[in-house]
Amino acid sequence: MKTIIEPFKIKMVEPIKLTTSTEREARLRQAHFNVFQIPAEEVIIDLLTDSGTAAMSSEQWAGMIRGDESYAGARSWYRFEKVLKELTGMQHILPTHQGRASERILFELVGGAGKVIPNNNHFDTTRANIEHSGARAVDLVIGEGTQPQSRHPFKGNMDLEKLERLIAEVGAKNMPLCMMTVTNNSGGGQPVSLANLRAVKEICRRHGIPFFLDACRFAENAYLIKQREPGQGNQSARAIARTMFDLADGATISAKKDGLVNIGGVLLMRDDALAARANNLLILTEGFITYGGLAGRDLEAMAQGFTEVLDEHYLEYRLRSVAYLGEHLLSAGVQIVEPPGGHAIYIDARAFCPHIPAEQFPGQALVCALYRHAGIRAVEIGSVMFGAPDPQTGKATPPAMELVRLAIPRRVYTQSHIDYVVEAIIEILQKRESLSGLRIVEAPPVLRHFTAKFEEIG
Ligand code: F0G
């Protein structure tokens, strides 16, 4: 059979409220053209994020009931620790309430003024936590990683020469660690190859720099390696994931992605001394080391989720359903970041709205049009998210790409939901000249995309 089906049945459903365009127009204005401010009930298809939005399996829900809520040494903690140790081989497994809590602990320990931390592309919370510590966050993705049309199979790879140059420039002693985000969310959900991970690890090893993964989407990255990297086709996704973790000295994970849960995170490391310091901070701000700000039932759901996510029937369906959306948009003439990556399709908003200049936020204009036209919620990943003026210099640098991300929640939507999204985007494409640019009328200094207020121009 050629048709790849959802390898699950639906056991529980949640109704979707079908709004009218008059209702949506009013909502959008009330939200000051910022879809983060729209109640989820007023959204028909919510592609804002793939984070914390997965549908859990019956086994995960069964685990929720079995959860041991003891404060210290709960049975659920031991199960969680065992699953994570087998998956990653890391000695120290610290549970946290989500990815950014892991980042906050890590960068409070290794960051600080004068420190420089490279990544292929830092995710916004990673960058914000590094900068909050006083350190500098630097993006070193390969050139192809910023060209929407490039079909390079691993556009999340790091540019090795740029890494060598940065180390020479700032000195290895000022680089407390080097990170790699798999898959590269801010760069279009593109995977990183094993060859590139090995090469970066080797450079780090030569300079004595610890190598960490931001491994939120490790399973999708592993399956894309299986599909695209020569010589990896016969390896299991689990074996590839383990090879990725074996190269790293530590990792931060938001379990809200490939952990298939609604809340949870992990901080992993091999270094005993660093882990001891991290545990102290964990106790201070998250919770005791065997629950880290989570309930025992959350640890059960994560243990089960991190197991299920490596099921290759699931991963095949998952990557195929994302590619399905991407291929339909491409064939209708919508430029996306090619080839489709792991968890989302990213529309090139510069190409979609050539009449709207970057300073009028073409991505945000398209996000508003998607909501207005069909009640679809997407997120801008462009000048709104990354183009804020530097607090020190007051200078704004436009990002390399103006993207709109359609993130696909795991195991939530069916093919007809996706067909609806394709139809809506094609209809908007046909009337794209009518989309207006926006100006920001109010915004906080950091992470402004969540709360900024906009006004339409003209
Ligand atoms: N790193 C990456 C690569 C991420 O994509 C995210 C979250 C985080 C870290 C932070 O994790 O949300 O659990 O604190 N990404 C979500 C998204 C929010 O929509 O892409 P968190």
Side-chain angles (χ1 to χ4, degrees):
M1 290 297 297
K2 284 195 291 293
T3 309
I4 296 169
I5 60 168
E6 286 85 353
F8 49 79
K9 294 186 285 184
I10 297 167
K11 201 184 196 88
M12 195 186 280
V13 297
E14 198 179 335
I16 294 175
K17 180 171 142 192
L18 299 175
T19 51
T20 65
S21 69
T22 319
E23 287 166 340
R24 293 195 294 270
E25 186 64 37
R27 273 291 172 205
L28 191 62
R29 289 178 184 278
Q30 258 173 16
H32 302 278
F33 302 97
N34 186 335
V35 294
F36 281 99
Q37 303 297 322
I38 293 179
E41 272 211 316
E42 307 293 327
V43 174
I44 296 177
I45 307 279
D46 205 346
L47 307 183
L48 187 68
T49 180
D50 64 319
S51 179
T53 52
M56 292 209 296
S57 67
S58 47
E59 276 308 309
Q60 284 179 293
W61 282 109
M64 296 286 277
I65 303 288
R66 278 195 301 267
D68 176 358
E69 303 304 339
S70 306
Y71 189 97
R75 189 178 59 241
S76 302
W77 152 253
Y78 289 111
R79 177 174 178 216
F80 169 78
E81 188 192 32
K82 182 167 179 284
V83 166
L84 268 290
K85 278 194 169 166
E86 281 170 9
L87 172 66
T88 66
M90 298 272 174
Q91 283 88 330
H92 301 286
I93 313 285
L94 286 70
T96 61
H97 78 273
Q98 63 183 81
R100 69 197 72 180
S102 304
E103 293 165 0
R104 206 261 310 145
I105 292 172
L106 181 63
F107 296 119
E108 188 168 328
L109 293 174
V110 307
K115 299 282 166 46
V116 178
I117 296 163
N119 204 328
N120 42 4
N121 282 116
H122 289 281
F123 183 65
D124 60 354
T125 60
T126 321
R127 171 175 287 276
N129 271 294
I130 290 171
E131 290 174 352
H132 182 70
S133 81
R136 184 154 69 94
V138 182
D139 291 339
L140 301 179
V141 75
I142 55 170
E144 289 90 338
T146 57
Q147 295 157 13
Q149 290 179 4
S150 157
R151 300 286 300 194
H152 189 296
F154 293 103
K155 287 166 82 173
N157 283 357
M158 188 179 275
D159 185 322
L160 304 174
E161 271 172 38
K162 282 192 200 157
L163 176 61
E164 291 275 22
R165 248 181 283 140
L166 184 70
I167 297 171
E169 183 196 317
V170 305
K173 67 174 192 321
N174 292 317
M175 207 174 272
L177 57 87
C178 169
M179 226 171 183
M180 278 283 255
T181 305
V182 292
T183 58
N184 188 18
N185 187 10
S186 307
Q190 297 292 316
V192 179
S193 69
L194 270 185
N196 189 252
L197 288 170
R198 286 202 177 99
V200 171
K201 166 71 184 184
E202 175 52 25
I203 293 172
C204 290
R205 192 197 55 75
R206 253 194 290 117
H207 293 278
I209 300 166
F211 177 52
F212 272 60
L213 294 177
D214 175 339
C216 295
R217 300 177 179 86
F218 70 94
E220 289 167 5
N221 199 94
Y223 203 71
L224 287 164
I225 287 175
K226 183 182 168 90
Q227 288 180 331
R228 297 183 188 172
E229 191 157 349
Q232 296 302 320
N234 293 327
Q235 296 290 321
S236 67
R238 175 173 286 278
I240 295 170
R242 181 56 188 266
T243 307
M244 288 161 51
F245 283 112
D246 282 348
L247 290 166
D249 299 297
T252 56
I253 304 183
S254 165
K256 298 169 73 173
K257 286 81 170 171
D258 276 349
L260 299 176
V261 290
N262 306 119
I263 195 72
V266 202
L267 174 58
L268 308 112
M269 55 189 73
R270 300 187 195 280
D271 185 301
D272 297 338
L274 184 64
R277 292 167 63 216
N279 274 328
N280 288 337
L281 266 186
L282 185 75
I283 295 170
L284 189 68
T285 58
E286 287 280 303
F288 186 58
I289 53 173
T290 64
Y291 73 86
L294 294 162
R297 54 179 168 270
D298 297 325
L299 297 170
E300 286 283 345
M302 277 202 279
Q304 183 63 27
F306 278 120
T307 307
E308 285 175 13
V309 77
L310 287 165
D311 177 313
E312 298 201 8
H313 294 300
Y314 161 75
L315 283 169
E316 181 186 33
Y317 137 79
R318 167 74 179 157
L319 294 169
R320 182 62 211 134
S321 57
V322 172
Y324 175 87
L325 171 59
E327 286 164 11
H328 276 77
L329 292 181
L330 269 177
S331 65
V334 177
Q335 185 60 54
I336 61 164
V337 174
E338 298 179 57
H343 67 293
I345 291 299
Y346 295 65
I347 298 176
D348 179 350
R350 226 175 247 157
F352 199 99
C353 313
H355 61 293
I356 303 178
E359 61 277 12
Q360 292 181 15
F361 309 118
Q364 192 65 18
L366 178 54
V367 165
C368 290
L370 282 164
Y371 182 72
R372 257 194 184 116
H373 192 77
I376 298 164
R377 181 155 67 170
V379 68
E380 193 263 12
I381 301 197
S383 285
V384 178
M385 193 180 272
F386 292 116
D390 184 296
Q392 264 121 50
T393 63
K395 233 184 80 205
T397 328
M401 297 186 279
E402 297 288 342
L403 303 175
V404 168
R405 184 183 76 172
L406 306 166
I408 316 294
R410 293 170 180 79
R411 308 191 290 208
V412 170
Y413 292 119
T414 63
Q415 188 168 337
S416 62
H417 291 117
I418 300 300
D419 288 338
Y420 173 90
V421 174
V422 171
E423 183 182 338
I425 294 171
I426 294 173
E427 286 180 5
I428 297 168
L429 184 70
Q430 283 157 1
K431 56 165 193 185
R432 60 179 161 172
E433 292 79 24
S434 67
L435 270 50
S436 335
L438 297 125
R439 73 170 72 88
I440 291 185
V441 289
E442 206 181 301
V446 286
L447 298 177
R448 65 178 181 173
H449 53 285
F450 293 124
T451 54
K453 293 181 178 170
F454 301 85
E455 214 170 64
E456 275 187 318
I457 298 172

